[in-house]
Amino acid sequence: MFFVHLSKLKILMVASEAAPFAKAGGLGDVVSSLADSLAALGHDVRVLLPLYFLIPQDLKQGFHPLPGVISVHLGQEHWARLWEFVPANGPRYYFIEYDHFFFRDRLYDGPYGGFEDNPQRFAFLCRAAIDLPEFLQWIPDIYHVHDWMAALVPVYLETVARRGPLAHTGSVLTIHNLQHQGYAHQSIIDYAGLPWGLWQSDKLEACGGVNFLKGGIYFANKLTTVSPTYAEEIRTPAFGCGLEDIFRFRGGDLVGILNGIDENLWNPATDPTLPANYDRNNLEKKSLCKMNFCQQRFGDAKSDNRPLFVAISRLYAQKGLDVLADILPWVVETMSVRFAILGCGEWLLEEHLASIAHRSPDRIWFYRGYDETLAHQMTAAADFFVMPSRFEPCGLTQLYSMRYGTLPIVHATGGLKDSVVSRAHGVERATGFVFNDLTHQALYSAIGWACATYYDHPSEILTMRQNGMCRDFSWKQSSRRYLECYHWAMEKKMGFP
Ligand code: ADP
Ligand code: GLC
């Protein structure tokens, strides 16, 4: 099928996030940077997103309304407007306007947890994705859908849309985080306009309700996760979040592809948010970033040579920062180090971090919130980047760190294991420090290991920084693997084995 691999594909991505329009975490970064990289290879890539109220106004000014209204064939017909954004080069974006669902100042949750109508909101997005091609008179070869919010697309494709214009369109479902599966009351079947025959334990049914992701996993032609190790982990009860049996059942169609990063946005040589730009040949300029940051945040009058450890994260159990918070007072008492943490999420963890930072203002600085500029500046300023995740499907911040000459200290799980080469494997290749068990003691030892290397073997630290900065974290390899997957999915859809 060599000729197929040379052909240009029509790819429709469906997701609930894409940076810079709407982003809650790495999903948004991945959707837009993967779409960019596929478009750069010459494919016709289009992305469907909701028109959220929170999309920045300056970006919305570049959107254009498409003439007419699209009919979205849920249980009852809904009518909506579509907006288009066409960048000079790159993928085309479509935004579906339906204020009842998307005119809110948060993506998924309010002060009392997830929005109750999230299943209806994202069933609407999925059905709109199915109705879009006819409206545009543009039939995709492949739907690439992301996480539970887009997981009903393959369900529609293989059932109510099985015949007609999409009969030959394949589907790939990428799982970025299995912890969120989209669980709904069974009445969503009527709302979504799906046949009740799907409400079975080997299709959509789970615990008396409907599980969107489970349906997507059953019906997508191919499945991917965002790192090879996570693709293995989710076949086990410890990481499978109750779906491990289905992954074993669909194991032959499941592939792990490591995320890439947007190397233009995350480039220390050109990053406009930094006080000094640098590359691997002039790392002394990185020290200027550190000095500047420490002066601003710790109020140092002169430069300070203590190592700076940084964490930037959503503050949820997945990320393991509660373990870091538990040992932090002990770490700063016994080691000559500084910590800067940027994050928001669970209120109790935010409070805990705020209180320990308050007690050691010259050693620990905590910014409670979400701030992209600060994220870039901290990544550049840091010597070490701490990621004690309990599980991590891929993780992008360790990739950003390595690109910025900052050494990640990571728990050996998922994409962290796949992307960081531990100092334990020899300094020639090492890009960071990896520890195996997520315990207080192990994290404390890993921080101590990094700290001792910093003081006793500065030349090793320099080599490791340069190793990380030489690594290729672009989408070059991974986007080609996605293309392979699209072809497999299309072949499967056409009935090839
Ligand atoms: P996840 O998607 O699980 O949160 P990733 O490492 O894949 O983890 O991606 C996290 C993304 O969100 C990165 O782009 C990171 O810089 C960003 N991020 C997380 N928390 C914050 C924050 N408080 N402020 C700014 N950016 C943040
Ligand atoms: C999820 C995962 C994270 C991954 C990101 C992008 O949010 O938690 O590990 O990097 O998606 O794929």
Side-chain angles (χ1 to χ4, degrees), residues 1-7 487 491:
M1 299 289 280
F2 184 63
F3 71 94
V4 171
H5 291 267
L6 290 178
S7 62
H487 285 290
E491 286 168 13

Side-chain angles (χ1 to χ4, degrees), residues 10-17 27 30-31 34 38 45-49 122 125-130 132-133 140-158 166 169-177 212-226 250 482 485-486 489:
K10 287 185 271 176
I11 303 161
L12 180 54
M13 295 232 181
V14 187
S16 56
E17 299 179 26
L27 170 65
V30 168
V31 169
L34 173 60
L38 292 166
V45 187
R46 309 195 182 190
V47 185
L48 176 67
L49 292 171
F122 294 109
L125 175 69
C126 293
R127 182 65 228 199
I130 295 291
L132 183 67
D141 299 309
I142 195 86
Y143 276 94
H144 185 173
V145 306
H146 299 265
D147 272 351
W148 77 264
M149 299 76 123
L152 285 191
V153 172
V155 180
Y156 282 117
L157 266 186
E158 297 300 318
L166 298 174
T169 301
S171 61
V172 172
L173 165 64
T174 295
I175 296 155
H176 295 261
N177 194 333
F212 279 38
L213 192 65
K214 182 178 171 185
I217 295 168
Y218 268 108
F219 285 104
N221 299 127
K222 287 282 167 185
L223 304 168
T224 70
T225 64
V226 287
R250 293 239 35 209
Y482 274 110
C485 239
Y486 298 161

Side-chain angles (χ1 to χ4, degrees), residues 304-316:
D304 182 312
N305 198 31
R306 276 178 284 188
L308 176 66
F309 291 71
V310 153
I312 302 169
S313 181
R314 295 183 292 116
L315 298 178
Y316 292 98

Side-chain angles (χ1 to χ4, degrees), residues 23 25-26 29 312-314 319 342-343 369-371 395-397 400:
K23 162 179 164 182
D29 289 354
I312 302 169
S313 181
R314 295 183 292 116
K319 301 294 178 180
L342 164 63
Y370 185 93
D371 188 319
L396 297 176
T397 46
Y400 298 151

Side-chain angles (χ1 to χ4, degrees), residues 75-219:
Q76 289 183 348
E77 205 169 0
H78 292 46
W79 300 91
R81 283 216 302 171
L82 272 169
W83 294 75
E84 187 182 38
F85 175 68
V86 190
N89 40 42
R92 254 167 215 257
Y93 282 87
Y94 298 105
F95 297 88
I96 184 138
E97 178 179 357
Y98 200 73
D99 285 352
H100 177 63
F101 286 150
F102 303 119
F103 198 78
R104 305 181 187 179
D105 54 11
R106 306 261 310 169
L107 287 182
Y108 307 120
D109 50 11
Y112 306 108
F115 295 133
E116 271 186 22
D117 60 354
N118 275 342
Q120 285 79 4
R121 298 171 78 215
F122 294 109
F124 175 87
L125 175 69
C126 293
R127 182 65 228 199
I130 295 291
D131 291 312
L132 183 67
E134 210 174 327
F135 179 81
L136 297 176
Q137 291 297 298
W138 176 86
I139 306 297
D141 299 309
I142 195 86
Y143 276 94
H144 185 173
V145 306
H146 299 265
D147 272 351
W148 77 264
M149 299 76 123
L152 285 191
V153 172
V155 180
Y156 282 117
L157 266 186
E158 297 300 318
T159 57
V160 290
R162 194 164 173 74
R163 293 189 187 80
L166 298 174
H168 300 297
T169 301
S171 61
V172 172
L173 165 64
T174 295
I175 296 155
H176 295 261
N177 194 333
L178 195 52
Q179 200 174 38
H180 309 288
Q181 299 183 6
Y183 188 73
H185 186 266
Q186 50 177 271
S187 57
I188 196 74
I189 302 242
D190 280 333
Y191 177 83
L194 285 166
W196 273 93
L198 292 177
W199 199 55
Q200 294 180 15
S201 60
D202 64 348
K203 293 191 175 73
L204 282 179
E205 192 273 339
C207 307
V210 165
N211 182 325
F212 279 38
L213 192 65
K214 182 178 171 185
I217 295 168
Y218 268 108
F219 285 104

Side-chain angles (χ1 to χ4, degrees), residues 396-441:
L396 297 176
T397 46
Q398 83 281 12
L399 306 180
Y400 298 151
S401 299
M402 289 185 271
R403 183 140 167 86
Y404 277 58
T406 299
L407 307 183
I409 300 174
V410 303
H411 175 214
T413 183
L416 302 180
K417 197 171 166 183
D418 292 338
S419 58
V420 181
V421 181
S422 180
R423 170 65 190 83
H425 296 303
V427 73
E428 302 73 30
R429 289 177 49 238
T431 60
F433 298 85
V434 181
F435 59 98
N436 288 318
D437 303 308
L438 182 55
T439 60
H440 293 113
Q441 186 58 52

